[in-house]
Structures are given as C-alpha cells and as structure tokens.
Amino acid sequence: MTKTKAFLQKHRWSLTGALLGALVFLVLYGVRVLDPVCVDWILNNPSPDPSQHYLGWVFYRRSGWHLPYLGANYSAIYPYRTSILYTDSIPLLAVVCKLLGGVLPACFQYLGLWGLFCYAMQGGLAQALIARIGGVRPQDTAKNWASVLGAGVLVLFPALNIRMFAHTALAANWLVLLALWVWLCAEQSENRPSTGKLCLWWGVLGLLCAGIHLYYLPMVGMVLVAACVQRGLEKRGPAAVVLPIVSFCAVALAELFVLGAFAANFAGYSNGYLSGADLANLFVPGLGASWEQEVYAGLGTTAAVVLALAGLLVQRKKAAEFFRRHTNIVVAAVVLLILDAVASMGNTVTFGGRTLFTVPIPQVLMDFWAMFSSCARLAWLAGMLLAVAACGLVLRFWNGAAAAVLLAVCAAAQGFGLRTELTKRYTTYHDAAYYEDTTQLTDPAWEQLAASGQFSHLAFASFDFEHDDFWDLVAFAADHGWTSNSFYMGHMDGNLAAVTLAGEMNTLAPDTLYAFIDEDELARNDYALHYYRLDGILLGSVEPIHGLTEEPAVDIPAHTMALQKSSVINGTADADTVTLNEGGELLTEAWMLFPGSYRVTLTGSGFDHSYIYARHGLINQETYKMEVNFTGIAPDEMVFEFSTGEPLYYWRTAVHALDDTPIVVTVIKVEKIG
C-alpha cells in the first residue's frame, strides 16, 4: 500500500495527463466500445479495415498453434499460412488473448480497451515530456497543471483521432512519445542509466513496435538514432552508441520471426511506389495528395510553435543559455528531424502543393523503402516532436499563469481545428443503431448450415474483398469456427491470391461451401455443384444440402458493372451515370472472369466519338489489351464479344473520349454466352 501511494504521488501529474486522455476518449466514443463482447460496432464501420482487424483476430484465435511461429494463422486464407501481423490485429494483444482463450468469452474483442489505453498513454507521456522540456518540478502545481493542458494538444493530435477505429493499430502514437520519453526523460535523469539498462529499454521498444504495427519501427528507430547521436557527441563510448541499436533491431527481428512475418504465404508484396508527405502539410491542412498522405499536426501544434518562437525571441539571453546547456540534445533533435523529413517525403519531393523534383533511386532501395510505401505516416514523428517541444518551451519561456492560459488556448485550437472529425465520431459512436446487428445474412438457413456439421470451410470463387457481401460471409465463417480461403492482409500479394483462388476451383471438396459473389455467378455452369441462394447470395456445394431448395439450372443473366466504382479522368461519376468530357477516360472496376465467351453491352450516348476496348493483367505487371469483336455499333449502344481459354485477372472495360463531344455511359453489362 505504501509503495502504491508513493508511486501515485511521484507520477500524479502524468497520471492526470493520462486521465485527461481517457476522458477525451470516453467523451468521443462512449463506453459501449469497451464491452469486450460487443462487436457489431466494429463490423458496422463503413471501412473494411476494422472488420479486418477484428476478424483477423477471430480466425487467429481458432487456428492451431504451430511452433515456432506463435503468430501463424492457418484459418484466414486456408489452407495457407499467414500471420496475425498482416491483419493489423495488434499482434501482441492477439497472442496474449489467444493464450487466455480458454477463459475469455466465445465472442471477444479488445479494440475498445486498446483505444482507451492509447488515449491514456498519449496524455500521460505527453504531460511528462512537456513538463521535462519546460523544466517543471513536481511541487510546482501551477506549471504542472499547465503541462496537463499542453498534453491536450497531443491527446487531440490528428493522427491519433483519425486513425482510431480506422487503422486501429496505427493509433499507437504513444509509441513515439514513449521513445521520446526514454531519450529526453529517462536518459537525461540525474542517475544516468547504464548501457545495459539502455539496451533493455530500447529492446522493449523494439518488442512493442514489432508487436503493434510495423510503421512504428522506423519512427522509433529514428528517435533511437538521435539518442545515439547525443551519446556520441558526449563521448560516452562505442558500446553506449551501438549496443542499444543492436538490442532494438535484434528484439524486433526475433519477434517478427516468431510472429511468422518471414514465413507467411501471400506476404511481402510491394506496390512499387512511395506515397510521400508534403512537409508544409505539417502546418497547412489540405496539402496531402490523399487521405493517406495527410500529415497535418493540427492548429494547436502550429499555435504552440508560434508561441514558443515568440518566447525564445522575447527571452533571447535565457534561450541562448538554455540551448548552450543542451547543445548535444538540440543537435540530435535536428538530425532526427532531417532523417524524418527524408524518410517521410519519399523520393518525390513536394512542398506547398508543388512537386519540386524526383530523386532516382536504385531498385533495391526502392523495394526496401516500399515496404513502408505509405511513408508520409513517418512525418507523424516530426509533428509530435514539434508539438511536445513547442508546448514545453512555452512552459519554460512564458511565466506560469501566461503559460497555462496559452497552452489551454493551444489545446482548444487543436480541438477546434479537428472539430468536424471529432463531431463525426461523437455522433457515430453515440448512436444506438451503430451497435445493432446489421448483417445481410438474415435467413435462418445460415444457422442450419452452421449446425449441420456438413461444412467446415468457406471458399470464394475469386479474390474480391471489396464486395459488400464479402465481410458478412467472412464474419459468418469466423463466428462458426470455419476457415475462409480469402481474406485481406496488409502487404499482401494480391496477384498471387487471385491466381491461387481461381486454381482452387479445379478441385472441389465436399466439406466446403462455395460462394459466388456478383460477377462470379457468370461461372456457375462451369462447375458440377448443387446451387442454392440465401439472401441473394449464390452458394455451391458438392453434396446436396438437406433442408434447402436447390436453385434450378437457368440461363445465367447478365451482370451490371458498378459505375460508381470506375476510375474516371476528366469526367464525373455517380451510381447511375458517367459523363466524359474532352480527353476523358473511364476505366471500370476490376472483375475476375473465368474461361468462356462473353458479350459486353455499353448503353449511353456519344459512343460514335469514343474509343472502347477491354484489358486485363495482374497488378503492376503487363496489361494485355484484348482482341474483341464489335457486333453492335451505334451512338447509344456498343456491343462487343470475346472468348478466353484461361481466367482473366483484373479484367476491365475502358472508354476514351476522342474529341470534345460529351460521352455518357449509363449501363455496362456483361453476360456469358458460352
């Protein structure tokens, strides 16, 4: 009891910052997300990512242990081996919860509690860092309250709030703050830690990064390099400089091996490009070329930086003395910011919305770098470092009362700048309907299928995890202990998955229920299966299914492509119509077509001023333009036919505008004619 009281007394201000973070979380998300048996809110998210994170854990939980790969998952893409690492299911938590599986409820999620933990850690570590930089002593109550207010800037950091329950593992911004704390607080303490203790701390950080999300490995690794630069400047010896890096890398690599990162099928695919950050975007919102490249650090961060600079100018002598005493740390911090800038920009340097130049780099380096292809995320490190440093300097160079007011203003500004996102989350997570079961699989026959014992595997005819019915079917399989042959994985070789799934249809198994989603129905007569339809979904089985009415053999109707999923250049698109202007181009969604003969009909207007063709080809490989035979040519309708003796992967139809005559496309339908 005495030790607990002493701990609470010593860390009371950091715990207050953690409490602030927890309160913000509860205000935004409420308490229902904390219920470990409540999962519908995860599956109801309009983004498929939360479903991937949760269902990846469910499949992993029901997959057997296969040493030495504790993180191996044999149920998500059966019968192949994947890893819990690639479903972004927070691997460390998944492994621990799987070990405790016998005492956990059958339906269990840890994402809600993880979210609360992330916000609390963000607030507690931010307070500790701000107080340290601000030179605040534990007994200085006013300044400590000011540091808690400053922690609000980090609790409302955009990357944390936007990624939470979207890319949930990526919401672990506190890992960066923890690395900064080890460097700026623990390593700078009066009792300077030994090299052995440094190795232990950074080894633990390597363990956490590899076990939570891989993108934190380079971010935390760069903080470690900065800490080593400082030790080198202080001439603390080669061991103090090199061994912590060795510890960090060795622990991370060992954990990745145990998690099965290097032994997973379909993993290791690189998309071959870098989505870099526009560094001006740290202070100017909206400059990110995409949602993934938006790295805005928030209005409150910008305000804190401006106020910190003003304080430094007003108290120039005091500032000069401060930086003189901390020269080595300042130099290391500059090195850190430069490293982060290079890593996060990619090889195409963009600033203020303009591309300045592109640096040609060897393919070997590109292949390695592209493992972190969304490298703009790495700029979160710079944003958080600037936020905590600026808030700390405001605390140090403004008097106590003024600093408290200014940091409160910064926190309020941070929330104001993020008000649209915060309001959206509050509205969503406080809506009772968000916690209701909204699965499309409502026919009682689904439960009969599960209880019959006839099936233990679900197999999709093709690889299409973006379809509306996909996640409902996968959730059904996971909930009932079945395996699935298709799942979405991070860093996944989609080409290999597409080819593999198509090949599996050559050998049909009686314990497998086959799902033909949308365009896959075009191939139904190619396979000797008994067909059934539940909730509009075509299902196939090698053996008859007792109690279900078999769907009679019929001519396969044409299937219509979803125009809103098309890629459109110089034009507009909605659910019903695509309009192309001069220089316009339409490229339809990608379909998988099995061998056979097909007819494609395009309806609209202006086709006599267009160029139309079909193409197919695996991602980032050669695209093949197809030989097609036009059987109908008119301004309002174009019809072409083609045949294929092999599966066509990522098949698309393209329409190009040849002049300034508008082209309108209202329907594109595909039918199998042989």
Side-chain angles (χ1 to χ4, degrees), residues 600-617:
V600 180
T601 303
L602 296 90
T603 304
S605 63
F607 290 136
D608 50 338
H609 295 267
S610 71
Y611 170 52
I612 299 172
Y613 68 93
R615 55 178 258 191
H616 68 95

Side-chain angles (χ1 to χ4, degrees), residues 3-24:
K3 289 184 177 180
T4 301
K5 185 176 180 180
F7 175 85
L8 294 175
Q9 178 66 20
K10 181 180 179 181
H11 299 286
R12 62 190 183 280
W13 294 111
S14 293
L15 291 171
T16 304
L19 179 60
L20 172 65
L23 289 174
V24 169

